[in-house]
Amino acid sequence: MPPPRPSRRRVLGSLAGAGALGALSAAGCAAPSGVASGKTRLRYWHLFGGGDGVTMAAMLDAYQQSHPDVDLQAATLAWGSPYYTKLAMAGAGGRAPEVAVLHITRLPGFAPGRLLNPFDLDLLAEHGVTEADFPPDLWRRGQAGGKQYAIPLDTHPIVLYFNTEICEQAGLLDADGRLVPTTGPEEFVAAIRAAGEVIGGPGLVVETLGADTVGPWRIFWTLYSQTGATMLSEDGTRMTLDDQKALEVLEFMRMLSDEGLIAPRTDYAASVGLFSSGQGGFFINGEWEVSTFLNNEVPFSMTRLPDIFGSGRVEADCHSFVLPNQTDRGGPGNEAAHEFVAWLLKNSVDWAAGGHVPAYLPTLEKPEYLDMRPQSEYRSVIDDVVLDPPAWFAGSASALEIELGAVFSGVFTGSRSPENALAEAKSRLQDLLDTPNPFGETA
């Protein structure tokens, strides 16, 4: 399961704190500087824990073995708000690590040009990585002011898990054991009902509540995006929410609860437990739980969330590599950072084992990735992922996801009507739009 989510107060407080501390020296944030004689120091900060952390550690070991001339100093920091606060402080002080990981949706809030340095695309190309190797939309989201500040490693979308034994009994699988595709809300609901009849209970499992829950946000943002509507203007400064389409989605979410298709009061841990124990034919969640179900020997597979409201778009984020601001960036350390990023991208088949879809397109064609089941079953979703709106307060572990996740949670649990949820969501979104970016603007 994903790391613990920060509280709303902690999210907003840490954002403000990072802005206030931006002028301070970040010497205390830098990794240890002891470098083996004759080696190039390469400091790398990331937030991967759990199964992701194990996979990343193995990749770093392989990199180090093949690069004995590099002194790799990797640091795993606390996921979410604490990580981003420390990264911002390090960049503000100009004494940051050579390379770090950033959710690409957090880029607008990281004042590219001040807290981050741009990549040298010519240097990256010397190591065999170019713009043509990535989906255009993911590459574009890594840009600011005409420069490239983030290089995508993966995309991690929500997907549809399905219990193969339950779905087979319900007649929902084809001859190859894959889920028969559905289109539109009626067909999807019919499949949920069929699975529910097999188990004698709700056929679909979703996260509906919990401290700082974001599952309801992910589901809303997926379904709303499928309608083709937007939430914010392209520059992230103005609300463009389509009330009619938003209400249609919220009414659908409420119907799932009212008609017993989901358990209305299920936190994240309970949702994973319910599906893992066979108490759900379907499970909507991020693809990162694949290792949990494989380890628990659950009879399951995975596929893209179907077209319910007019397209196959799904909510996602993207782990990306960034170059935190260094006052004197350049030289061997900077070149090592570019080569390091290129090496990890070219070896991202290993990274895909944890469920993430590699953003480096050549990886998607490698036989060892195509043979990886069920991880390769939903790879086509990379062309239909929809990231959070482009605003400083959006992205993973952000105020937007936590604020609106709490609102939409009430639609599932019955504490809010769809109309009330829409009005409250618009009010909270406007409050966020009216709040100045504590990180400052792009240089």
Side-chain angles (χ1 to χ4, degrees):
M1 70 189 291
R5 303 188 184 96
S7 67
R8 172 188 173 194
R9 179 177 298 175
R10 191 143 39 93
V11 167
L12 297 177
S14 66
L15 289 174
L21 292 170
L24 299 178
S25 169
C29 296
S33 59
V35 181
S37 177
K39 293 188 176 183
T40 298
R41 180 178 64 177
L42 178 61
R43 294 166 296 176
Y44 169 50
W45 288 7
H46 67 84
L47 38 56
F48 300 123
D52 278 355
V54 173
T55 301
M56 178 55 68
M59 294 174 70
L60 297 181
D61 285 345
Y63 171 84
Q64 186 68 89
Q65 291 176 17
S66 63
H67 294 75
D69 58 331
V70 175
D71 180 26
L72 177 63
Q73 299 176 4
T76 306
L77 305 182
W79 191 92
S81 179
Y83 176 81
Y84 286 119
T85 298
K86 192 166 187 177
L87 187 61
M89 292 173 63
R95 301 183 64 179
E98 280 67 41
V99 63
V101 166
L102 182 89
H103 286 96
I104 210 166
T105 53
R106 299 296 295 255
L107 185 64
F110 258 74
R114 293 180 55 205
L115 301 182
L116 302 174
N117 300 140
F119 276 87
D120 182 335
L121 296 185
D122 290 336
L123 181 55
L124 200 62
E126 289 180 16
H127 296 292
V129 172
T130 68
E131 176 182 352
D133 295 322
F134 302 88
D137 286 346
L138 291 186
W139 182 264
R140 178 183 57 81
R141 282 295 293 263
Q143 296 175 344
K147 298 180 180 180
Q148 196 72 32
Y149 285 92
I151 305 297
L153 168 62
D154 61 37
T155 185
H156 41 102
I158 64 169
V159 296
L160 185 65
Y161 297 83
F162 59 96
N163 184 297
T164 51
E165 292 181 354
I166 293 172
C167 288
E168 182 178 23
Q169 293 179 53
L172 300 175
L173 304 185
D174 64 17
D176 296 322
R178 291 185 169 90
L179 193 66
V180 175
T182 62
T183 301
E186 292 81 10
E187 290 186 4
F188 184 55
V189 167
I192 297 172
R193 291 190 191 282
E197 290 173 1
V198 171
I199 60 179
L204 173 65
V205 176
V206 296
E207 175 193 15
T208 66
L209 53 75
D212 299 327
T213 181
V214 297
W217 155 258
R218 292 185 175 123
I219 293 174
F220 171 84
W221 187 229
T222 291
L223 300 180
Y224 178 73
S225 297
Q226 287 188 354
T227 71
T230 60
M231 179 172 285
L232 297 179
S233 57
E234 289 189 7
D235 61 3
T237 62
R238 179 173 51 86
M239 193 186 311
T240 59
L241 199 68
D242 185 313
D243 288 7
Q244 181 177 350
K245 292 180 178 179
L247 191 58
E248 182 182 8
V249 168
L250 291 170
E251 289 173 343
F252 177 80
M253 293 167 62
R254 181 58 174 268
M255 178 274 298
L256 294 176
S257 181
D258 285 346
E259 298 193 12
L261 301 176
I262 64 170
R265 302 188 65 82
T266 307
D267 65 15
Y268 189 92
S271 70
V272 174
L274 285 172
F275 185 76
S276 189
S277 61
Q279 298 181 66
F282 298 102
F283 182 31
I284 298 176
N285 194 26
E287 34 68 23
W288 50 79
E289 290 294 350
V290 60
S291 297
T292 299
F293 300 136
L294 288 172
N295 291 336
N296 291 345
E297 299 183 349
V298 177
F300 83 104
S301 190
M302 304 158 71
T303 189
R304 297 176 50 159
L305 198 68
D307 170 353
I308 299 173
F309 280 97
S311 75
R313 304 191 78 189
V314 294
E315 186 273 345
D317 207 332
C318 171
H319 295 120
S320 64
F321 296 111
V322 293
L323 305 177
N325 177 52
Q326 292 184 336
T327 303
D328 57 351
R329 178 170 288 280
N334 185 55
E335 182 167 352
H338 284 72
E339 193 277 336
F340 173 73
V341 167
W343 189 94
L344 288 177
L345 291 169
K346 292 178 179 180
N347 290 273
S348 55
V349 165
D350 294 335
W351 186 242
H356 306 322
V357 181
Y360 184 64
L361 295 177
T363 299
L364 300 183
E365 304 301 324
K366 291 185 176 181
E368 53 267 45
Y369 174 69
L370 295 175
D371 290 340
M372 195 180 291
R373 304 289 177 83
Q375 292 92 334
S376 66
E377 293 288 321
Y378 48 89
R379 64 188 182 280
S380 65
V381 76
I382 198 168
D383 294 321
D384 291 305
V385 296
V386 54
L387 307 181
D388 277 12
W392 71 264
F393 50 78
S396 292
S398 69
L400 173 72
E401 293 194 352
I402 292 172
E403 291 279 348
L404 298 195
V407 173
F408 300 143
S409 170
V411 175
F412 279 137
T413 64
S415 64
R416 290 185 185 274
S417 68
E419 293 80 6
N420 174 274
L422 176 58
E424 180 64 16
K426 291 174 67 175
S427 175
R428 295 194 185 194
L429 184 57
Q430 190 60 55
D431 285 345
L432 290 171
L433 285 167
D434 293 341
T435 304
N437 180 357
F439 287 133
E441 301 301 325
T442 301

